[in-house]
Amino acid sequence: MQPRAILESALYVTDLDAAEAFYAGVLGLEKIGRVANRHVFFKCGSGVLLLFNAEATRQPPAPDARLPVPPHGTTGQGHLCFAATADEIEGWKKHLEAKNIAIEADFEWPPKPGQARGGRSIYFRDPSGNSLEFTEPKIWNL
């Protein structure tokens, strides 16, 4: 057996309000849920992006909790990559720069066997310092 897809991806943020404003307002993701001081969830393509307050998710659920999700969380900067075409990446770069969001890196990956070129990536940060990327899926031969 093998999983067929990743359904959810999680990042841990230090300020849920700032994260919500960034992911909805700058990246245009559709918010699908929020619990104050704990999490905000967004639809992203066929998956879901979960943004958690790490301190709140480290607490074990109450014995009578309706949803007994085990504790989880991390500290430090995480990474998430969004798929985009070459034209979309150029559009995202201009959009992010117009919002005064610094592009930390912009480069072409070296080609893999059977590829004419490897694909472009741009990297930038969210308000919590998480590393975000837009890249062409062909960097993974997808």
Side-chain angles (χ1 to χ4, degrees):
M1 299 212 31
Q2 183 181 53
R4 63 181 160 102
I6 294 175
L7 179 62
E8 303 170 344
S9 296
L11 289 174
Y12 295 86
V13 299
T14 55
D15 181 331
L16 281 176
D17 292 333
E20 182 176 349
F22 180 83
Y23 285 88
V26 175
L27 297 185
L29 296 180
E30 176 189 347
K31 182 175 76 171
I32 58 175
R34 180 174 173 146
V35 170
N37 202 41
R38 186 176 191 284
H39 65 253
V40 60
F41 297 162
F42 292 93
K43 183 178 185 304
C44 184
S46 62
V48 178
L49 174 58
L50 313 173
L51 301 177
F52 289 108
N53 171 344
E55 293 304 316
T57 60
R58 285 194 185 103
Q59 306 304 315
D64 61 345
R66 182 176 69 85
L67 300 170
V69 176
H72 55 85
T74 188
T75 57
Q77 301 164 344
H79 172 69
L80 188 69
C81 180
F82 299 99
T85 66
D87 289 341
E88 290 169 339
I89 291 169
E90 188 58 32
W92 277 111
K93 181 178 181 184
K94 290 176 183 172
H95 174 75
L96 293 166
E97 289 174 337
K99 300 273 187 186
N100 293 316
I101 297 166
I103 303 299
E104 286 190 307
D106 180 351
F107 61 91
E108 291 281 334
W109 290 91
K112 292 185 172 134
Q115 287 181 298
R117 60 177 210 174
R120 181 179 177 193
S121 283
I122 60 171
Y123 288 80
F124 56 101
R125 300 277 171 174
D126 76 3
S128 294
N130 289 302
S131 174
L132 302 177
E133 175 186 8
F134 281 104
T135 197
E136 297 175 79
K138 68 182 178 178
I139 70 163
W140 294 108
N141 288 331
L142 299 176

